[in-house]
Amino acid sequence: MRRLCEAGGLRPAEIEVVAALVSSRRRLERGARLLDAGDPCAALFAIRSGSVKSTARMADGREQVTGFYLAGDLLGLEGLALRTHLRELVALEDSELCVVRRGDLEALLGRLPRLHAELHALMGRELVRAQGTSLALGSLAADERVAAFVVGLSRRLRERGRDGAALVLPMTRAEIGSFLGLQLETVSRIFSRLHGEGILEVKRQVVTIRDGERLERLAARCEALL
């Protein structure tokens, strides 16, 4: 929440007011479900540590990964407008989240219009990112999708002051494939090829970017995915 407030340009005293909205912290073990689709929106969640995936259930019961969220991300924004959550949220690894009750947040929004504007901006960015991902997945080759995914993860980690070259993937190859619209075998084959070409070094869940320029060129036809 503090990161959100600073992005919105709030004064230090206002930041402290918003930070005080955190009513509790919630720990999730890897694989634990935070929310189900259709749950009423009672709170928003800021990831303090760990990571979370969002999923949708297809008509035939299959699970489709729709997004990955990292420490610093805010979850459940769509619930502020819709009053219900659209996606299932599941921990990719042991995670800790800060809980902000919706009623407490809504009571504060009228007093801090800049925070209100920032939340709307965040919703807009999420929508634009989702639309961009949908368009990209319909036009990119498989290797371009994987490259764009790695570039996107690297950029988001750098934005948080973390190492953007050595990536510890909390998600499986199957989850990456589900998000990118690719088969598990295809994702694994592309990682192996990029490893063999010296663009990436892949050791199980650790992916190290060895040739960032070539990786960026491969992903250049779209915005980074993630």
Side-chain angles (χ1 to χ4, degrees), residues 147-148 150-152 154-155 158 164-167 194 197-201 207-220 224:
V150 175
V151 168
S154 174
R155 288 179 182 174
R158 289 200 306 269
L167 316 176
L194 295 176
E197 294 176 356
I199 297 175
L200 301 177
E201 180 180 339
V207 175
T208 304
I209 299 173
R210 292 303 185 194
D211 192 332
E213 289 186 5
R214 290 173 67 193
L215 184 68
E216 292 271 2
R217 285 199 300 271
L218 186 57

Side-chain angles (χ1 to χ4, degrees), residues 92-125:
L92 287 166
E93 57 190 319
D94 291 351
S95 302
E96 184 177 13
L97 300 97
C98 296
V99 181
V100 178
R101 289 190 294 264
R102 191 190 79 198
D104 293 342
L105 179 60
E106 289 179 340
L108 185 62
L109 290 179
R111 293 160 43 200
L112 296 179
R114 282 172 294 185
L115 177 61
H116 202 170
E118 181 64 16
L119 285 172
H120 277 287
L122 279 174
M123 292 180 194
R125 288 195 291 270

Side-chain angles (χ1 to χ4, degrees), residues 162-223:
R162 297 168 61 185
D163 186 356
L167 316 176
V168 180
L169 303 182
M171 65 289 290
T172 66
R173 301 290 191 272
E175 289 167 331
I176 294 172
S178 178
F179 177 66
L180 296 178
L182 301 171
Q183 296 295 319
L184 164 63
E185 295 79 8
T186 302
V187 174
S188 297
R189 184 175 67 251
I190 293 170
F191 271 125
S192 295
R193 182 165 64 78
L194 295 176
H195 176 96
E197 294 176 356
I199 297 175
L200 301 177
E201 180 180 339
V202 183
K203 294 182 177 179
R204 296 188 177 182
Q205 295 303 105
V206 180
V207 175
T208 304
I209 299 173
R210 292 303 185 194
D211 192 332
E213 289 186 5
R214 290 173 67 193
L215 184 68
E216 292 271 2
R217 285 199 300 271
L218 186 57
R221 283 212 298 141
C222 73
E223 292 294 326

Side-chain angles (χ1 to χ4, degrees), residues 12 21 24 30 65 68 82 98 117 151 204 208:
L21 285 178
S24 62
R30 181 178 181 272
V65 176
F68 298 108
L82 302 175
C98 296
V151 168
R204 296 188 177 182
T208 304

